Amino acid sequence: MKVQIEDKEFSCFLEYEKIKKRTRLLGIQINVDYEDKVPVFIGVLNGSFLFMADLMKEVNIPAEVSFIKVSSYHGQETTSGTVKSVIGLDIDLKGRDVIIVEDIIDTGITLSYLVDVLRKHEPASVAICSLLLKPQSLQREIPEITYVGFEISNEFVVGYGLDYRGLGRNLKDIYRYLPVPSET
């Protein structure tokens, strides 16, 4: 299946059923790892909202939820390299176990910034749970990456919370960009 978003065509890459199964496994692992704790899940808006909702349905331990909004994409396909915090935290993290929930880890610039900001709040621990990871794109080492749904190549993807120019977040599946072959 293909979808058109503005000037780009995308083909189905990860169907929702596969995402749902992997999310269930991540939830089970988090339940085991935090069995005697009450972690704070911090969703990174806007992209993580669908993944976070589905993940929280699989988490059976006591937990709190909060959100933060940071951005380095500004509507583009690739990161601008500049991080801008838009919405801050409204919960005390001192001595708490924190799990950052991300839709995708690309260069790691935004996530590295976020981990630094959260560390200033003196949490007991910080872990990262991301639906997607692009290992070839990482520009920063981020040891807090603990839970990863899928490792993908350096492709542009939309759907299931991920967008292109603000569009496509509502797609149930994840789609990858199909570049038009250049004429020679």
Side-chain angles (χ1 to χ4, degrees):
M1 181 174 162
K2 294 180 182 177
V3 296
Q4 183 81 27
I5 301 176
E6 290 197 350
D7 59 336
K8 300 202 179 311
E9 185 175 61
F10 298 84
S11 68
C12 192
F13 177 55
L14 287 171
E15 292 181 351
Y16 178 67
E17 286 305 313
K18 189 171 185 179
I19 296 167
K20 193 164 80 170
K21 286 178 185 173
R22 186 67 185 128
T23 301
R24 184 171 191 282
L25 292 174
L26 292 171
I28 290 168
Q29 188 62 52
I30 290 169
N31 289 330
V32 169
D33 292 350
Y34 290 85
E35 182 178 14
D36 298 322
K37 300 178 181 182
V38 181
V40 177
F41 287 81
I42 299 175
V44 181
L45 296 172
N46 288 336
S48 74
F49 76 103
L50 287 176
F51 175 52
M52 177 96 158
D54 285 346
L55 179 65
M56 295 312 297
K57 292 173 191 171
E58 302 299 338
V59 172
N60 300 321
I61 56 172
E64 289 185 54
V65 174
S66 189
F67 291 91
I68 190 165
K69 185 169 183 175
V70 293
S71 177
S72 65
Y73 280 82
H74 311 289
Q76 304 302 312
E77 292 175 41
T78 57
T79 182
S80 67
T82 305
V83 179
K84 177 183 176 188
S85 180
V86 181
I87 300 172
L89 289 170
D90 60 357
I91 190 168
D92 184 11
L93 300 178
K94 187 170 184 167
R96 303 291 305 275
D97 295 293
V98 173
I99 302 172
I100 300 168
V101 180
E102 266 282 24
D103 56 348
I104 188 167
I105 301 170
D106 196 337
T107 64
I109 292 169
T110 301
L111 196 52
S112 178
Y113 169 82
L114 182 54
V115 169
D116 289 345
V117 167
L118 294 179
R119 289 258 182 233
K120 291 177 184 171
H121 291 267
E122 302 176 15
S125 68
V126 175
I128 297 165
C129 179
S130 183
L131 178 62
L132 303 174
L133 170 66
K134 293 182 180 181
Q136 297 101 343
S137 299
L138 274 176
Q139 295 177 13
R140 310 259 168 100
E141 188 174 322
I142 306 173
E144 294 84 0
I145 299 172
T146 310
Y147 309 99
V148 174
F150 303 94
E151 286 190 7
I152 64 171
S153 61
N154 193 16
E155 296 178 281
F156 186 63
V157 291
V158 299
Y160 195 69
L162 299 148
D163 76 300
Y164 172 57
R165 296 183 181 169
L167 301 172
R169 291 190 195 279
N170 60 313
L171 296 170
K172 187 167 89 171
D173 304 316
I174 294 177
Y175 295 79
R176 76 173 106 196
Y177 173 54
L178 294 172
V180 177
S182 58
E183 295 179 4
T184 54

